[in-house]
């Protein structure tokens, strides 16, 4: 199989090989850490606003940074062993690195196609992108169905991490089947939040994070929330005017009543750059997965404004850590 792909790569013309090389270098550069990924997704969205998945990816990446930054807080240091916290950090980091390494080349190939005024999606196979996404990009180029493409990217990213992360025996043992993960899921500490500069928080959470279907539905609901006509501009303004640091002060600074000063650890100040390698490039979409049902529209729940919920969860976390400290 590799020989066939190698032969096809050699058949590319000089311009196509140059585009491939440029995209590979840009992907490696921006896939350095959570902050660089967040900025890359957001910058891409501002250059190509006809696609909305990149903005969703940037906001979810911000949330991943906040969740990773939380692990250094006093409450989490009391509740979790250092080894458990490191495994959770590694899980966030690995999943987001994998998604970026797959999705960002897709986005740049589309951008290069616009610049060349012709589709270049045959390049995607050389980045080991699924045949499912190559088909969806070609469909989008012809039909311009943004909502379908945004949804396809959600389906693809969650399938991409299912085996190497969610079903990986190491992560199963050290993360997904542990009490710290159960606590995070039980108390919704990892709820995805979309802030505004007026101090409002909106968001959604998911039960059964390990299930592929649940994560895809969550992604589609998050997309629906981000693109809602009455809130979209508020979320975009927050992103444009708020530098991502990986600390919850990114949005807590906009709260009318403060009091979360311990959320002040920029991610790059507390975690090193992590090196990653990928060996399995198998195409998930060739495993007989049924994807069409995932393109059906979803409904948003009624309760999306989460300021009171957030204050309650912060208090819950404080109480839990105090109880754990007392027991110790």
């Amino acid at each position: 199989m590799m020989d066939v792909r190698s032969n096809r790569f050699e058949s590319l013309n000089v311009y196509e090989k140059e585009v491939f090389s440029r995209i590979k270098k840009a992907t490696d550069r921006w896939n350095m850490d959570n902050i660089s990924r967040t900025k890359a997704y957001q910058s891409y969205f501002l250059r190509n606003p006809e696609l909305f998945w990149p903005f969703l990816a940037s906001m979810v990446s911000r949330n991943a940074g906040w969740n990773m930054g939380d692990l250094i807080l006093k409450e989490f240091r009391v509740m979790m062993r250092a080894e458990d916290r490191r495994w959770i950090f590694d899980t966030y980091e690995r999943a987001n690195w994998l998604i970026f390494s797959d999705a960002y080349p897709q986005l740049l190939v589309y951008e290069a196609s616009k610049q060349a005024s012709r589709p270049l999606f045959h390049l995607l196979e050389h980045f080991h992108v699924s045949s499912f996404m190559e088909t969806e990009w070609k469909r989008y180029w012809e039909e311009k169905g943004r909502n379908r493409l945004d949804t396809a990217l959600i389906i693809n990213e969650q399938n991409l991490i299912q085996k190497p992360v969610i079903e990986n025996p190491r992560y199963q043992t050290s993360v997904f089947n542990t009490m710290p993960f159960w606590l995070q899921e039980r108390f919704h500490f990892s709820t995805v939040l979309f802030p505004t500069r007026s101090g409002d928080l909106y968001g959604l959470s998911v039960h059964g994070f390990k299930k592929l279907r649940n994560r895809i539905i969550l992604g589609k609901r998050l997309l629906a929330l981000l693109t809602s006509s009455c809130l979209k501009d508020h979320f975009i303004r927050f992103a444009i005017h708020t530098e991502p640091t990986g600390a919850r002060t990114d949005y807590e600074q906009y709260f009318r009543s403060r009091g979360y000063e311990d959320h002040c650890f920029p991610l790059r100040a507390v975690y090193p750059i992590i090196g990653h390698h990928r060996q399995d490039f198998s195409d998930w979409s060739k495993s007989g997965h049924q994807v069409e049902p995932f393109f059906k529209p979803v409904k948003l729940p009624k309760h999306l404004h989460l300021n009171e919920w957030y204050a309650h969860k912060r208090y819950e976390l404080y109480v839990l850590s105090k109880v754990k400290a007392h027991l110790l």
Side-chain angles (χ1 to χ4, degrees):
M1 182 63 183
M2 290 303 296
D3 289 339
V4 173
R5 181 179 287 129
S6 178
N7 290 337
R8 285 202 287 264
F9 183 81
E10 289 306 317
S11 69
L12 299 177
N13 61 40
V14 173
Y15 173 74
E16 291 169 336
K17 288 179 179 178
E18 189 276 329
V19 169
F20 172 85
S21 178
R22 187 173 72 241
I23 290 175
K24 189 176 186 308
K25 288 178 181 177
T27 302
D28 291 341
R29 174 191 175 194
W30 290 104
N31 207 4
M32 181 177 67
D33 65 3
N34 171 267
I35 305 301
S36 61
R37 289 175 212 123
T38 300
K39 290 182 175 182
Y41 284 133
Q42 180 173 311
S43 176
Y44 183 92
F45 167 70
L46 295 175
R47 297 196 310 271
N48 303 274
E50 69 270 23
L51 303 180
F52 217 83
W53 184 87
F55 185 58
L56 170 64
S58 74
M59 294 298 283
V60 172
S61 182
R62 283 180 186 259
N63 276 266
W66 299 330
N67 289 329
M68 289 191 284
D70 284 348
L71 297 171
I72 204 68
L73 297 180
K74 178 175 62 179
E75 293 96 331
F76 282 88
R77 294 200 305 270
V78 169
M79 292 174 59
M80 299 181 191
R81 299 178 305 163
E83 181 182 3
D84 293 332
R85 287 185 283 114
R86 181 63 194 214
W87 270 106
I88 292 175
F89 171 84
D90 285 346
T91 305
Y92 280 118
E93 173 64 17
R94 181 65 176 171
N96 285 274
W97 180 88
L98 278 171
I99 290 171
F100 190 92
S101 67
D102 183 81
Y104 200 59
Q106 296 181 53
L107 300 176
L108 294 186
V109 166
Y110 167 68
E111 196 169 43
S113 297
K114 288 203 305 182
Q115 293 165 356
S117 299
R118 64 183 178 92
L120 297 171
F121 303 117
H122 59 287
L123 296 180
L124 293 177
E125 71 164 317
H126 303 294
F127 291 102
H128 305 283
V129 172
S130 68
S131 55
F132 164 74
M133 280 312 306
E134 185 174 345
T135 299
E136 291 299 328
W137 278 109
K138 290 175 180 177
R139 182 198 294 254
Y140 175 76
W141 186 261
E142 296 296 329
E143 301 176 3
K144 297 297 183 287
R146 193 208 76 191
N147 187 62
R148 182 177 175 95
L149 181 68
D150 285 339
T151 303
L153 284 161
I154 292 170
I155 295 169
N156 182 69
E157 66 170 290
Q158 293 307 325
N159 275 282
L160 182 74
I161 65 171
Q162 184 65 24
K163 285 191 175 180
V165 178
I166 307 300
E167 296 177 7
N168 185 303
R170 292 185 305 160
Y171 292 118
Q172 285 281 339
T173 301
S174 301
V175 179
F176 298 118
N177 294 332
T178 64
M179 181 61 71
F181 180 79
W182 180 87
L183 282 172
Q184 275 205 321
E185 187 164 75
R186 171 66 180 81
F187 291 99
H188 295 288
F189 291 138
S190 297
T191 292
V192 179
L193 297 172
F194 295 152
T196 69
R197 294 181 78 207
S198 61
D200 291 307
L201 292 178
Y202 299 86
L204 293 156
S205 57
V206 60
H207 270 307
F209 179 83
K210 292 187 289 184
K211 293 182 178 180
L212 174 67
R213 177 180 178 275
N214 293 355
R215 298 197 311 277
I216 291 175
I217 290 174
L218 173 65
K220 290 166 64 178
R221 285 176 173 164
L222 291 172
L223 181 66
L225 174 57
L226 269 190
T227 55
S228 62
S229 58
C230 60
L231 292 171
K232 179 176 69 174
D233 291 342
H234 293 285
F235 297 140
I236 293 174
R237 277 197 291 271
F238 166 84
I240 291 174
H241 295 285
T242 309
E243 183 76 7
T245 70
R248 292 194 185 271
T249 47
D250 289 355
Y251 61 85
E252 289 175 350
Q253 64 180 305
Y254 298 117
F255 287 174
R256 296 175 186 84
S257 58
R258 303 294 291 276
Y260 303 121
E261 284 75 13
D262 55 343
H263 270 126
C264 59
F265 299 99
L267 208 58
R268 285 178 171 170
V270 292
Y271 289 112
I273 301 299
I274 306 298
H276 294 271
H277 301 281
R278 183 181 175 187
Q279 294 178 325
D280 182 10
F281 294 98
S282 57
D283 185 344
W284 66 265
S285 64
K286 292 184 176 180
S287 302
H289 289 67
Q290 294 295 319
V291 295
E292 279 304 317
F294 289 128
F295 285 102
K296 294 179 180 178
V298 293
K299 291 184 178 180
L300 285 173
K302 293 181 179 179
H303 303 292
L304 297 168
H305 188 266
L306 298 182
N307 286 63
E308 289 186 12
W309 172 93
Y310 184 77
H312 180 69
K313 288 301 170 184
R314 289 282 278 126
Y315 181 71
E316 261 190 352
L317 179 61
Y318 171 79
V319 171
L320 282 171
S321 66
K322 287 297 184 182
V323 170
K324 179 70 177 289
H326 178 72
L327 292 175
L328 291 174

